[in-house]
Amino acid sequence: AQKVTQAQTEISVVEKEDVTLDCVYETRDTTYYLFWYKQPPSGELVFLIRRNSFDEQNEISGRYSWNFQKSTSSFNFTITASQVVDSAVYFCALSERFGNEKLTFGTGTRLTIIP
Amino acid sequence: NAGVTQTPKFRVLKTGQSMTLLCAQDMNHEYMYWYRQDPGMGLRLIHYSVGEGTTAKGEVPDGYNVSRLKKQNFLLGLESAAPSQTSVYFCASRRSTSYEQYFGPGTRLTVT
């Protein structure tokens, strides 16, 4: 069975600080996909990134970066120079390739950026 | 291009009443999903569909039914609402060739 753990329930940082959101996953499949979604206070879910299990390269998009490490089953998300607009709940999710169509979500990390 | 839309945005039901939530997508996606979001539990899959005319159960299907008569629409029904079904409901869709799902804005349902 697949499982996603986001151990950090809530994080608060002062604006311009860097912050890392942790995500640890479990799966028996050798091919799988990892995702991060952002849920701002308005409530919608915004897709941020997808990572394939066979591609361990880290990715950077502006102030956002993702560190995927198969050896530790982790897919961590770092925001550099945080801004108030980054305040949201962030979800990590996992999808296996075969036999399971669903996204399994972690319980989310509520990030608050203090101005 | 509206993406994924959900109707209604808010609804209050009394225990035992029925209702249908409508999800529509204009991206020609094959797969569609219904999730519920409860505090501290993330999102959990209720039902999903891999194509027109097909549906399947997810993680928490009890008390819900679904139908996918048209490719662009996915309906979620509650036949006899219970307070335990108070939640925020999200619809999502994706292409069969891609794994990221795109979500609607959500429906906040309260059952009293």
mmCIF file of all heavy atoms in Angstrom, chain B residues 31-72:
data_model
loop_
_atom_site.group_PDB
_atom_site.id
_atom_site.type_symbol
_atom_site.label_atom_id
_atom_site.label_comp_id
_atom_site.label_asym_id
_atom_site.label_seq_id
_atom_site.Cartn_x
_atom_site.Cartn_y
_atom_site.Cartn_z
ATOM 1 N N TYR B 31 -9.784 10.931 -17.434
ATOM 2 C CA TYR B 31 -9.978 10.493 -16.057
ATOM 3 C C TYR B 31 -10.565 11.616 -15.218
ATOM 4 O O TYR B 31 -10.148 12.777 -15.325
ATOM 5 C CB TYR B 31 -8.635 10.091 -15.426
ATOM 6 C CG TYR B 31 -7.978 8.862 -16.011
ATOM 7 C CD1 TYR B 31 -8.478 8.206 -17.119
ATOM 8 C CD2 TYR B 31 -6.834 8.361 -15.418
ATOM 9 C CE1 TYR B 31 -7.861 7.082 -17.625
ATOM 10 C CE2 TYR B 31 -6.200 7.230 -15.915
ATOM 11 C CZ TYR B 31 -6.719 6.591 -17.023
ATOM 12 O OH TYR B 31 -6.098 5.473 -17.520
ATOM 13 N N MET B 32 -11.494 11.234 -14.349
ATOM 14 C CA MET B 32 -12.064 12.201 -13.412
ATOM 15 C C MET B 32 -12.199 11.567 -12.034
ATOM 16 O O MET B 32 -12.341 10.342 -11.908
ATOM 17 C CB MET B 32 -13.425 12.712 -13.914
ATOM 18 C CG MET B 32 -13.316 13.497 -15.222
ATOM 19 S SD MET B 32 -14.851 14.266 -15.757
ATOM 20 C CE MET B 32 -14.980 15.648 -14.601
ATOM 21 N N TYR B 33 -12.160 12.406 -11.004
ATOM 22 C CA TYR B 33 -12.075 11.937 -9.620
ATOM 23 C C TYR B 33 -12.946 12.799 -8.702
ATOM 24 O O TYR B 33 -13.105 13.993 -8.943
ATOM 25 C CB TYR B 33 -10.632 12.048 -9.102
ATOM 26 C CG TYR B 33 -9.602 11.339 -9.925
ATOM 27 C CD1 TYR B 33 -9.093 11.913 -11.090
ATOM 28 C CD2 TYR B 33 -9.118 10.092 -9.543
ATOM 29 C CE1 TYR B 33 -8.141 11.273 -11.849
ATOM 30 C CE2 TYR B 33 -8.157 9.433 -10.296
ATOM 31 C CZ TYR B 33 -7.671 10.030 -11.443
ATOM 32 O OH TYR B 33 -6.732 9.384 -12.192
ATOM 33 N N TRP B 34 -13.436 12.176 -7.640
ATOM 34 C CA TRP B 34 -14.045 12.908 -6.544
ATOM 35 C C TRP B 34 -13.290 12.593 -5.255
ATOM 36 O O TRP B 34 -13.085 11.423 -4.920
ATOM 37 C CB TRP B 34 -15.525 12.522 -6.358
ATOM 38 C CG TRP B 34 -16.455 13.262 -7.249
ATOM 39 C CD1 TRP B 34 -17.122 12.777 -8.336
ATOM 40 C CD2 TRP B 34 -16.851 14.627 -7.121
ATOM 41 N NE1 TRP B 34 -17.902 13.754 -8.898
ATOM 42 C CE2 TRP B 34 -17.745 14.907 -8.164
ATOM 43 C CE3 TRP B 34 -16.531 15.648 -6.221
ATOM 44 C CZ2 TRP B 34 -18.337 16.162 -8.341
ATOM 45 C CZ3 TRP B 34 -17.108 16.887 -6.398
ATOM 46 C CH2 TRP B 34 -18.008 17.129 -7.441
ATOM 47 N N TYR B 35 -12.876 13.659 -4.558
ATOM 48 C CA TYR B 35 -12.204 13.548 -3.272
ATOM 49 C C TYR B 35 -13.015 14.290 -2.218
ATOM 50 O O TYR B 35 -13.745 15.215 -2.518
ATOM 51 C CB TYR B 35 -10.821 14.208 -3.316
ATOM 52 C CG TYR B 35 -9.793 13.531 -4.179
ATOM 53 C CD1 TYR B 35 -9.683 13.835 -5.534
ATOM 54 C CD2 TYR B 35 -8.904 12.615 -3.637
ATOM 55 C CE1 TYR B 35 -8.717 13.227 -6.325
ATOM 56 C CE2 TYR B 35 -7.935 12.008 -4.420
ATOM 57 C CZ TYR B 35 -7.842 12.322 -5.756
ATOM 58 O OH TYR B 35 -6.892 11.728 -6.539
ATOM 59 N N ARG B 36 -12.778 13.924 -0.970
ATOM 60 C CA ARG B 36 -13.262 14.735 0.122
ATOM 61 C C ARG B 36 -12.063 15.150 0.987
ATOM 62 O O ARG B 36 -11.091 14.400 1.115
ATOM 63 C CB ARG B 36 -14.315 14.010 0.965
ATOM 64 C CG ARG B 36 -13.903 12.719 1.616
ATOM 65 C CD ARG B 36 -15.032 12.138 2.464
ATOM 66 N NE ARG B 36 -15.251 12.906 3.686
ATOM 67 C CZ ARG B 36 -16.272 12.713 4.520
ATOM 68 N NH1 ARG B 36 -17.169 11.780 4.275
ATOM 69 N NH2 ARG B 36 -16.397 13.449 5.622
ATOM 70 N N GLN B 37 -12.160 16.359 1.521
ATOM 71 C CA GLN B 37 -11.084 16.879 2.357
ATOM 72 C C GLN B 37 -11.633 17.184 3.737
ATOM 73 O O GLN B 37 -12.556 17.996 3.880
ATOM 74 C CB GLN B 37 -10.464 18.146 1.762
ATOM 75 C CG GLN B 37 -9.302 18.669 2.590
ATOM 76 C CD GLN B 37 -8.661 19.915 2.012
ATOM 77 O OE1 GLN B 37 -9.291 20.672 1.270
ATOM 78 N NE2 GLN B 37 -7.395 20.121 2.324
ATOM 79 N N ASP B 38 -11.065 16.540 4.725
ATOM 80 C CA ASP B 38 -11.453 16.747 6.110
ATOM 81 C C ASP B 38 -10.242 17.238 6.897
ATOM 82 O O ASP B 38 -9.105 16.877 6.573
ATOM 83 C CB ASP B 38 -11.987 15.447 6.716
ATOM 84 C CG ASP B 38 -13.180 14.935 5.949
ATOM 85 O OD1 ASP B 38 -14.202 15.628 5.955
ATOM 86 O OD2 ASP B 38 -13.086 13.862 5.320
ATOM 87 N N PRO B 39 -10.470 18.041 7.938
ATOM 88 C CA PRO B 39 -9.339 18.602 8.711
ATOM 89 C C PRO B 39 -8.397 17.516 9.201
ATOM 90 O O PRO B 39 -8.821 16.516 9.780
ATOM 91 C CB PRO B 39 -10.053 19.312 9.872
ATOM 92 C CG PRO B 39 -11.409 19.638 9.343
ATOM 93 C CD PRO B 39 -11.769 18.497 8.437
ATOM 94 N N GLY B 40 -7.106 17.724 8.971
ATOM 95 C CA GLY B 40 -6.089 16.809 9.467
ATOM 96 C C GLY B 40 -5.979 15.485 8.741
ATOM 97 O O GLY B 40 -5.198 14.623 9.129
ATOM 98 N N MET B 41 -6.756 15.333 7.636
ATOM 99 C CA MET B 41 -6.741 14.029 6.951
ATOM 100 C C MET B 41 -6.342 14.124 5.493
ATOM 101 O O MET B 41 -6.394 13.131 4.776
ATOM 102 C CB MET B 41 -8.105 13.361 7.076
ATOM 103 C CG MET B 41 -8.517 13.116 8.510
ATOM 104 S SD MET B 41 -9.997 12.123 8.635
ATOM 105 C CE MET B 41 -9.340 10.517 8.206
ATOM 106 N N GLY B 42 -5.965 15.268 5.040
ATOM 107 C CA GLY B 42 -5.626 15.378 3.630
ATOM 108 C C GLY B 42 -6.842 15.126 2.758
ATOM 109 O O GLY B 42 -7.983 15.272 3.187
ATOM 110 N N LEU B 43 -6.615 14.705 1.537
ATOM 111 C CA LEU B 43 -7.703 14.388 0.612
ATOM 112 C C LEU B 43 -7.816 12.885 0.473
ATOM 113 O O LEU B 43 -6.810 12.185 0.367
ATOM 114 C CB LEU B 43 -7.442 14.996 -0.768
ATOM 115 C CG LEU B 43 -7.787 16.469 -0.926
ATOM 116 C CD1 LEU B 43 -6.683 17.336 -0.377
ATOM 117 C CD2 LEU B 43 -8.027 16.806 -2.395
ATOM 118 N N ARG B 44 -9.040 12.400 0.452
ATOM 119 C CA ARG B 44 -9.283 10.971 0.293
ATOM 120 C C ARG B 44 -10.195 10.739 -0.908
ATOM 121 O O ARG B 44 -11.189 11.443 -1.077
ATOM 122 C CB ARG B 44 -9.903 10.384 1.570
ATOM 123 C CG ARG B 44 -8.966 10.410 2.778
ATOM 124 C CD ARG B 44 -9.643 9.828 4.005
ATOM 125 N NE ARG B 44 -10.751 10.662 4.455
ATOM 126 C CZ ARG B 44 -11.659 10.280 5.343
ATOM 127 N NH1 ARG B 44 -11.617 9.046 5.841
ATOM 128 N NH2 ARG B 44 -12.624 11.099 5.709
ATOM 129 N N LEU B 45 -9.863 9.717 -1.681
ATOM 130 C CA LEU B 45 -10.589 9.448 -2.909
ATOM 131 C C LEU B 45 -11.898 8.743 -2.635
ATOM 132 O O LEU B 45 -11.933 7.719 -1.941
ATOM 133 C CB LEU B 45 -9.718 8.588 -3.838
ATOM 134 C CG LEU B 45 -10.307 8.246 -5.184
ATOM 135 C CD1 LEU B 45 -10.452 9.501 -6.041
ATOM 136 C CD2 LEU B 45 -9.424 7.235 -5.900
ATOM 137 N N ILE B 46 -12.989 9.267 -3.208
ATOM 138 C CA ILE B 46 -14.312 8.672 -3.019
ATOM 139 C C ILE B 46 -14.608 7.695 -4.161
ATOM 140 O O ILE B 46 -14.844 6.507 -3.940
ATOM 141 C CB ILE B 46 -15.392 9.765 -2.962
ATOM 142 C CG1 ILE B 46 -15.079 10.792 -1.868
ATOM 143 C CG2 ILE B 46 -16.764 9.132 -2.709
ATOM 144 C CD1 ILE B 46 -15.987 12.012 -1.913
ATOM 145 N N HIS B 47 -14.649 8.221 -5.375
ATOM 146 C CA HIS B 47 -14.863 7.428 -6.590
ATOM 147 C C HIS B 47 -14.051 8.059 -7.707
ATOM 148 O O HIS B 47 -13.685 9.231 -7.632
ATOM 149 C CB HIS B 47 -16.339 7.437 -7.006
ATOM 150 C CG HIS B 47 -17.250 6.608 -6.169
ATOM 151 N ND1 HIS B 47 -17.363 5.237 -6.314
ATOM 152 C CD2 HIS B 47 -18.121 6.967 -5.206
ATOM 153 C CE1 HIS B 47 -18.268 4.786 -5.457
ATOM 154 N NE2 HIS B 47 -18.744 5.810 -4.769
ATOM 155 N N TYR B 48 -13.836 7.272 -8.746
ATOM 156 C CA TYR B 48 -13.164 7.829 -9.912
ATOM 157 C C TYR B 48 -13.696 7.177 -11.182
ATOM 158 O O TYR B 48 -14.436 6.174 -11.122
ATOM 159 C CB TYR B 48 -11.640 7.676 -9.808
ATOM 160 C CG TYR B 48 -11.136 6.254 -9.794
ATOM 161 C CD1 TYR B 48 -10.712 5.630 -10.968
ATOM 162 C CD2 TYR B 48 -11.052 5.541 -8.617
ATOM 163 C CE1 TYR B 48 -10.239 4.336 -10.958
ATOM 164 C CE2 TYR B 48 -10.579 4.242 -8.596
ATOM 165 C CZ TYR B 48 -10.157 3.646 -9.761
ATOM 166 O OH TYR B 48 -9.684 2.354 -9.749
ATOM 167 N N SER B 49 -13.297 7.758 -12.306
ATOM 168 C CA SER B 49 -13.745 7.263 -13.605
ATOM 169 C C SER B 49 -12.603 7.366 -14.596
ATOM 170 O O SER B 49 -11.954 8.413 -14.684
ATOM 171 C CB SER B 49 -14.930 8.084 -14.102
ATOM 172 O OG SER B 49 -15.214 7.802 -15.453
ATOM 173 N N VAL B 50 -12.368 6.278 -15.332
ATOM 174 C CA VAL B 50 -11.293 6.291 -16.331
ATOM 175 C C VAL B 50 -11.834 6.548 -17.733
ATOM 176 O O VAL B 50 -11.066 6.534 -18.696
ATOM 177 C CB VAL B 50 -10.469 4.993 -16.287
ATOM 178 C CG1 VAL B 50 -9.855 4.813 -14.914
ATOM 179 C CG2 VAL B 50 -11.308 3.789 -16.675
ATOM 180 N N GLY B 51 -13.117 6.766 -17.833
ATOM 181 C CA GLY B 51 -13.687 7.091 -19.134
ATOM 182 C C GLY B 51 -15.199 7.152 -19.051
ATOM 183 O O GLY B 51 -15.811 6.710 -18.079
ATOM 184 N N GLU B 52 -15.789 7.695 -20.115
ATOM 185 C CA GLU B 52 -17.245 7.814 -20.183
ATOM 186 C C GLU B 52 -17.903 6.459 -19.967
ATOM 187 O O GLU B 52 -17.489 5.455 -20.555
ATOM 188 C CB GLU B 52 -17.603 8.358 -21.568
ATOM 189 C CG GLU B 52 -19.061 8.652 -21.792
ATOM 190 C CD GLU B 52 -19.295 9.235 -23.187
ATOM 191 O OE1 GLU B 52 -18.422 9.981 -23.672
ATOM 192 O OE2 GLU B 52 -20.337 8.927 -23.779
ATOM 193 N N GLY B 53 -18.883 6.437 -19.071
ATOM 194 C CA GLY B 53 -19.631 5.215 -18.824
ATOM 195 C C GLY B 53 -18.999 4.260 -17.836
ATOM 196 O O GLY B 53 -19.565 3.204 -17.537
ATOM 197 N N THR B 54 -17.827 4.601 -17.292
ATOM 198 C CA THR B 54 -17.153 3.733 -16.323
ATOM 199 C C THR B 54 -16.908 4.476 -15.027
ATOM 200 O O THR B 54 -16.564 5.659 -15.035
ATOM 201 C CB THR B 54 -15.798 3.228 -16.845
ATOM 202 O OG1 THR B 54 -14.875 4.323 -16.860
ATOM 203 C CG2 THR B 54 -15.908 2.649 -18.237
ATOM 204 N N THR B 55 -17.080 3.763 -13.907
ATOM 205 C CA THR B 55 -16.763 4.333 -12.598
ATOM 206 C C THR B 55 -16.157 3.244 -11.724
ATOM 207 O O THR B 55 -16.339 2.043 -11.995
ATOM 208 C CB THR B 55 -18.005 4.912 -11.894
ATOM 209 O OG1 THR B 55 -18.933 3.862 -11.639
ATOM 210 C CG2 THR B 55 -18.660 6.008 -12.725
ATOM 211 N N ALA B 56 -15.452 3.663 -10.682
ATOM 212 C CA ALA B 56 -14.852 2.706 -9.771
ATOM 213 C C ALA B 56 -14.785 3.318 -8.377
ATOM 214 O O ALA B 56 -14.777 4.543 -8.234
ATOM 215 C CB ALA B 56 -13.453 2.315 -10.247
ATOM 216 N N LYS B 57 -14.725 2.442 -7.364
ATOM 217 C CA LYS B 57 -14.689 2.905 -5.982
ATOM 218 C C LYS B 57 -13.276 3.313 -5.600
ATOM 219 O O LYS B 57 -12.292 2.696 -6.024
ATOM 220 C CB LYS B 57 -15.165 1.792 -5.050
ATOM 221 C CG LYS B 57 -16.629 1.452 -5.210
ATOM 222 C CD LYS B 57 -17.038 0.345 -4.252
ATOM 223 C CE LYS B 57 -18.508 0.001 -4.426
ATOM 224 N NZ LYS B 57 -18.936 -1.086 -3.515
ATOM 225 N N GLY B 58 -13.219 4.324 -4.761
ATOM 226 C CA GLY B 58 -11.952 4.746 -4.201
ATOM 227 C C GLY B 58 -11.799 4.262 -2.774
ATOM 228 O O GLY B 58 -12.258 3.177 -2.414
ATOM 229 N N GLU B 59 -11.201 5.103 -1.969
ATOM 230 C CA GLU B 59 -10.874 4.748 -0.596
ATOM 231 C C GLU B 59 -12.069 4.821 0.350
ATOM 232 O O GLU B 59 -12.213 4.006 1.265
ATOM 233 C CB GLU B 59 -9.788 5.722 -0.123
ATOM 234 C CG GLU B 59 -9.153 5.465 1.211
ATOM 235 C CD GLU B 59 -8.140 6.551 1.538
ATOM 236 O OE1 GLU B 59 -7.848 7.400 0.665
ATOM 237 O OE2 GLU B 59 -7.656 6.558 2.676
ATOM 238 N N VAL B 60 -12.971 5.788 0.125
ATOM 239 C CA VAL B 60 -14.102 6.014 1.036
ATOM 240 C C VAL B 60 -15.408 6.148 0.254
ATOM 241 O O VAL B 60 -16.043 7.201 0.257
ATOM 242 C CB VAL B 60 -13.856 7.262 1.930
ATOM 243 C CG1 VAL B 60 -12.797 6.995 2.970
ATOM 244 C CG2 VAL B 60 -13.470 8.474 1.082
ATOM 245 N N PRO B 61 -15.871 5.089 -0.416
ATOM 246 C CA PRO B 61 -17.034 5.198 -1.303
ATOM 247 C C PRO B 61 -18.406 5.103 -0.625
ATOM 248 O O PRO B 61 -19.420 5.462 -1.243
ATOM 249 C CB PRO B 61 -16.846 3.999 -2.233
ATOM 250 C CG PRO B 61 -16.178 2.978 -1.356
ATOM 251 C CD PRO B 61 -15.269 3.764 -0.433
ATOM 252 N N ASP B 62 -18.457 4.614 0.608
ATOM 253 C CA ASP B 62 -19.748 4.339 1.237
ATOM 254 C C ASP B 62 -20.569 5.606 1.414
ATOM 255 O O ASP B 62 -20.090 6.619 1.916
ATOM 256 C CB ASP B 62 -19.533 3.667 2.602
ATOM 257 C CG ASP B 62 -18.930 2.278 2.447
ATOM 258 O OD1 ASP B 62 -18.992 1.721 1.326
ATOM 259 O OD2 ASP B 62 -18.405 1.747 3.440
ATOM 260 N N GLY B 63 -21.850 5.513 1.012
ATOM 261 C CA GLY B 63 -22.753 6.646 1.137
ATOM 262 C C GLY B 63 -22.793 7.550 -0.080
ATOM 263 O O GLY B 63 -23.547 8.524 -0.106
ATOM 264 N N TYR B 64 -21.991 7.226 -1.104
ATOM 265 C CA TYR B 64 -21.909 8.042 -2.316
ATOM 266 C C TYR B 64 -22.139 7.181 -3.550
ATOM 267 O O TYR B 64 -21.785 6.004 -3.567
ATOM 268 C CB TYR B 64 -20.533 8.691 -2.448
ATOM 269 C CG TYR B 64 -20.089 9.509 -1.272
ATOM 270 C CD1 TYR B 64 -19.271 8.946 -0.291
ATOM 271 C CD2 TYR B 64 -20.454 10.846 -1.135
ATOM 272 C CE1 TYR B 64 -18.841 9.676 0.799
ATOM 273 C CE2 TYR B 64 -20.025 11.591 -0.051
ATOM 274 C CZ TYR B 64 -19.224 11.000 0.905
ATOM 275 O OH TYR B 64 -18.798 11.744 1.977
ATOM 276 N N ASN B 65 -22.717 7.802 -4.575
ATOM 277 C CA ASN B 65 -22.768 7.157 -5.884
ATOM 278 C C ASN B 65 -22.325 8.174 -6.930
ATOM 279 O O ASN B 65 -22.347 9.391 -6.693
ATOM 280 C CB ASN B 65 -24.175 6.631 -6.199
ATOM 281 C CG ASN B 65 -25.226 7.725 -6.105
ATOM 282 O OD1 ASN B 65 -25.320 8.585 -6.983
ATOM 283 N ND2 ASN B 65 -26.010 7.715 -5.056
ATOM 284 N N VAL B 66 -21.883 7.661 -8.070
ATOM 285 C CA VAL B 66 -21.374 8.540 -9.118
ATOM 286 C C VAL B 66 -21.891 8.076 -10.470
ATOM 287 O O VAL B 66 -22.312 6.926 -10.636
ATOM 288 C CB VAL B 66 -19.822 8.571 -9.162
ATOM 289 C CG1 VAL B 66 -19.245 9.316 -7.977
ATOM 290 C CG2 VAL B 66 -19.264 7.156 -9.252
ATOM 291 N N SER B 67 -21.847 9.005 -11.421
ATOM 292 C CA SER B 67 -22.169 8.647 -12.799
ATOM 293 C C SER B 67 -21.348 9.502 -13.748
ATOM 294 O O SER B 67 -21.063 10.675 -13.464
ATOM 295 C CB SER B 67 -23.662 8.807 -13.085
ATOM 296 O OG SER B 67 -24.038 10.161 -12.981
ATOM 297 N N ARG B 68 -20.985 8.891 -14.883
ATOM 298 C CA ARG B 68 -20.198 9.583 -15.913
ATOM 299 C C ARG B 68 -20.856 9.272 -17.263
ATOM 300 O O ARG B 68 -20.377 8.458 -18.026
ATOM 301 C CB ARG B 68 -18.750 9.096 -15.893
ATOM 302 C CG ARG B 68 -17.860 9.834 -16.907
ATOM 303 C CD ARG B 68 -16.888 10.713 -16.224
ATOM 304 N NE ARG B 68 -16.047 11.428 -17.171
ATOM 305 C CZ ARG B 68 -14.804 11.062 -17.476
ATOM 306 N NH1 ARG B 68 -14.277 9.973 -16.938
ATOM 307 N NH2 ARG B 68 -14.105 11.783 -18.321
ATOM 308 N N LEU B 69 -21.948 9.951 -17.512
ATOM 309 C CA LEU B 69 -22.688 9.720 -18.752
ATOM 310 C C LEU B 69 -22.055 10.450 -19.922
ATOM 311 O O LEU B 69 -22.165 10.022 -21.073
ATOM 312 C CB LEU B 69 -24.148 10.145 -18.575
ATOM 313 C CG LEU B 69 -24.918 9.387 -17.473
ATOM 314 C CD1 LEU B 69 -26.350 9.892 -17.380
ATOM 315 C CD2 LEU B 69 -24.905 7.878 -17.750
ATOM 316 N N LYS B 70 -21.394 11.559 -19.644
ATOM 317 C CA LYS B 70 -20.684 12.305 -20.675
ATOM 318 C C LYS B 70 -19.236 12.459 -20.248
ATOM 319 O O LYS B 70 -18.944 12.557 -19.057
ATOM 320 C CB LYS B 70 -21.302 13.692 -20.874
ATOM 321 C CG LYS B 70 -22.702 13.702 -21.426
ATOM 322 C CD LYS B 70 -23.171 15.146 -21.629
ATOM 323 C CE LYS B 70 -24.572 15.180 -22.195
ATOM 324 N NZ LYS B 70 -25.037 16.578 -22.409
ATOM 325 N N LYS B 71 -18.358 12.511 -21.200
ATOM 326 C CA LYS B 71 -16.922 12.586 -20.900
ATOM 327 C C LYS B 71 -16.592 13.803 -20.045
ATOM 328 O O LYS B 71 -15.730 13.733 -19.170
ATOM 329 C CB LYS B 71 -16.133 12.644 -22.202
ATOM 330 C CG LYS B 71 -14.631 12.586 -22.011
ATOM 331 C CD LYS B 71 -13.910 12.583 -23.345
ATOM 332 C CE LYS B 71 -12.414 12.431 -23.153
ATOM 333 N NZ LYS B 71 -11.702 12.410 -24.452
ATOM 334 N N GLN B 72 -17.269 14.917 -20.278
ATOM 335 C CA GLN B 72 -16.889 16.140 -19.599
ATOM 336 C C GLN B 72 -17.519 16.303 -18.214
ATOM 337 O O GLN B 72 -17.158 17.216 -17.483
ATOM 338 C CB GLN B 72 -17.241 17.357 -20.467
ATOM 339 C CG GLN B 72 -18.727 17.544 -20.742
ATOM 340 C CD GLN B 72 -19.174 16.855 -22.024
ATOM 341 O OE1 GLN B 72 -18.646 15.813 -22.401
ATOM 342 N NE2 GLN B 72 -20.152 17.457 -22.689
#
